[in-house]
Amino acid sequence: MNTKVTFKDVARLAGVSTQTVSRVTNNSGYVNEKTRAKVQAAIDQLGYVPNKNAQLMGRKKARVFGVITLNISFQGASRIVEGIRNESKKAGYAISLAVLDDEPDALEHAVRDMKSQQVNAILINAPIAREPAEQLIHDHAPMPFVFIDAPLDAQVNHVMADHRAGGRMAAELMLQQGRTRFAFLNGPEPSTAARLRREAWLDVIDKAGATLVAEETGDWSARSGYTAGAALFSRGQAFDALLIANDQMALGALRACREHRIDVPRQTAVVGFDDTANSEFFCPPLTTVRQNFLEIGHQAVTEALSCIQHPGQPPIKTEVPVELIERQSTAPIESPEIKAARLESLLSELKQML
């Protein structure tokens, strides 16, 4: 990007006055939509980044981290932001927060907005592929970036939970409990976290000779977990283990279990991932893999500070350990003897009722 581009260049390209450019970039005063669109197109074409601090002199001495995140209605995303905020405050930094929407180029626009605020570093908690991540660093050098959901082979600073270890823990628990027929409910395809968890699940069950019966994908939300769970059960393919890529989707899937009269964990055991604040209050309480969101936020700030203090250093890569939390959504599969005894007990109860 050409850092020498000025608002005069934008005005010349858009065919408007510099005052009009100022109104658009500061979102002040009336500008009709057609003119606003022309100015924005010129800004995008030239890669112009307005310096908002020229109007906000009081922020010249501020130390600020820009945080770009997924929708903070996702509990994991909100907790990571909390961890970043806590650690930033300890280091004497404020944060400026941007929540991504589904619009094209939303991330690029958010980065430009953060730069216009003269932030000291940008922390991104959103899925991004290797090439776009590396391109962002190239296009916006020397701005320090830290990513929280980028591929392991990307030459960028990144922090993440040990998703592979967590995926292995979940699948191995199911096998230890005698489960042999698996279904996956995975996260969105662009997410490195979702991909690593799925790869670990598949590796464990393949080595054990277990069967992957069915698979669906959600968008991390409880609603998508419910929809995907219902689709899995509607296929009529029996499975006794359901691995789910996060707890909010597990919440929706557990509702689908109830509606399809699936007894959890007797017929199908369920394991989530995250250990969000409400997971122990699901029905039944959810077995899950705990990732330390606050620590992920802490490590992201640590990496950002290191980049500021040591510009040009090699990329830093940090994996935060995870922990398996066993609750009532998993249990050893019933032996034929136990099943027979349970059926006999049920028949006895029915006879007494008659």
Side-chain angles (χ1 to χ4, degrees):
M1 185 188 71
N2 182 3
T3 56
K4 295 182 180 179
V5 173
T6 70
F7 71 101
K8 292 181 181 179
D9 299 316
V10 174
R12 188 178 302 112
L13 180 60
V16 300
S17 68
T18 55
Q19 186 178 26
T20 299
V21 174
S22 178
R23 286 173 178 167
V24 172
T25 57
N26 293 306
N27 199 28
S28 63
Y30 175 75
V31 180
N32 69 57
E33 289 304 315
K34 185 177 180 180
T35 302
R36 185 179 296 275
K38 286 170 59 180
V39 173
Q40 189 59 55
I43 289 172
D44 292 341
Q45 181 177 334
L46 295 172
Y48 172 62
V49 177
N51 184 356
K52 292 182 180 178
N53 281 6
Q55 289 79 39
L56 300 172
M57 299 298 291
R59 292 192 59 181
K60 276 190 172 179
K61 296 181 180 179
R63 299 197 298 176
V64 182
F65 289 133
V67 180
I68 302 172
T69 181
L70 295 168
N71 192 327
I72 55 175
S73 66
F74 296 138
Q75 293 188 36
S78 66
R79 292 286 283 168
I80 288 172
V81 170
E82 182 182 352
I84 291 172
R85 180 185 292 113
N86 292 346
E87 196 61 26
S88 298
K89 185 176 180 180
K90 292 178 185 176
Y93 283 75
I95 69 167
S96 177
L97 183 66
V99 178
L100 293 176
D101 55 28
D102 296 328
E103 294 297 318
D105 299 322
L107 180 56
E108 176 65 27
H109 290 155
V111 168
R112 288 188 183 183
D113 185 64
M114 290 299 176
K115 289 184 69 178
S116 75
Q117 297 177 51
Q118 302 293 291
V119 299
N120 299 90
I122 298 175
L123 291 64
I124 300 177
N125 179 28
I128 186 170
R130 178 174 62 84
E131 292 82 1
E134 293 174 351
Q135 191 66 45
L136 269 182
I137 291 174
H138 176 270
D139 290 347
H140 298 284
M143 174 65 69
F145 283 85
V146 178
F147 297 87
I148 298 176
D149 194 358
L152 296 175
D153 61 347
Q155 295 304 301
V156 300
N157 302 300
H158 80 237
V159 180
M160 65 172 62
D162 193 343
H163 301 294
R164 292 170 297 190
R168 287 194 297 269
M169 291 175 185
E172 288 168 355
L173 173 67
M174 294 291 207
L175 292 170
Q176 292 164 10
Q177 294 184 341
R179 312 284 170 171
T180 59
R181 294 177 60 79
F182 285 72
F184 295 168
L185 203 175
N186 200 21
E189 185 177 345
S191 170
T192 295
R195 179 176 55 80
L196 292 175
R197 294 169 197 178
R198 182 187 182 279
E199 288 175 357
W201 296 340
L202 200 56
D203 182 59
V204 170
I205 70 169
D206 279 350
K207 287 178 179 177
T211 303
L212 175 59
V213 174
E215 183 170 7
E216 287 286 342
T217 299
D219 64 6
W220 301 127
S221 69
R223 181 180 296 277
S224 74
Y226 169 74
T227 301
L232 288 171
F233 294 121
S234 296
R235 294 180 184 181
Q237 299 172 291
F239 50 87
D240 54 21
L242 177 55
L243 295 173
I244 305 179
N246 80 330
D247 290 357
Q248 284 181 265
M249 289 196 298
L251 175 61
L254 287 173
R255 175 182 167 183
C257 288
R258 290 193 297 274
E259 292 184 0
H260 286 76
R261 301 183 183 279
I262 303 297
D263 187 326
V264 177
R266 187 174 61 81
Q267 291 173 272
T268 301
V270 177
V271 179
F273 204 111
D274 284 345
D275 193 30
T276 54
N278 298 326
S279 300
E280 64 179 307
F281 302 107
F282 289 2
C283 187
L286 184 66
T287 293
T288 186
V289 176
R290 175 180 293 163
Q291 55 172 325
N292 190 334
F293 294 115
L294 295 181
E295 181 62 18
I296 291 170
H298 170 101
Q299 292 297 332
V301 171
T302 299
E303 288 194 8
L305 290 170
S306 179
C307 292
I308 291 168
Q309 294 163 4
H310 308 287
Q313 68 182 2
I316 309 170
K317 302 177 186 291
T318 306
E319 279 192 320
V320 177
V322 296
E323 177 185 3
L324 181 67
I325 306 297
E326 292 189 54
R327 299 192 181 103
Q328 285 73 48
S329 67
T330 54
I333 202 163
E334 289 183 341
S335 66
E337 294 78 14
I338 293 175
K339 285 183 180 179
R342 183 172 52 80
L343 288 173
E344 185 176 344
S345 175
L346 287 172
L347 288 172
S348 176
E349 290 178 12
L350 286 172
K351 287 178 181 178
Q352 291 177 9
M353 291 172 64
L354 296 173

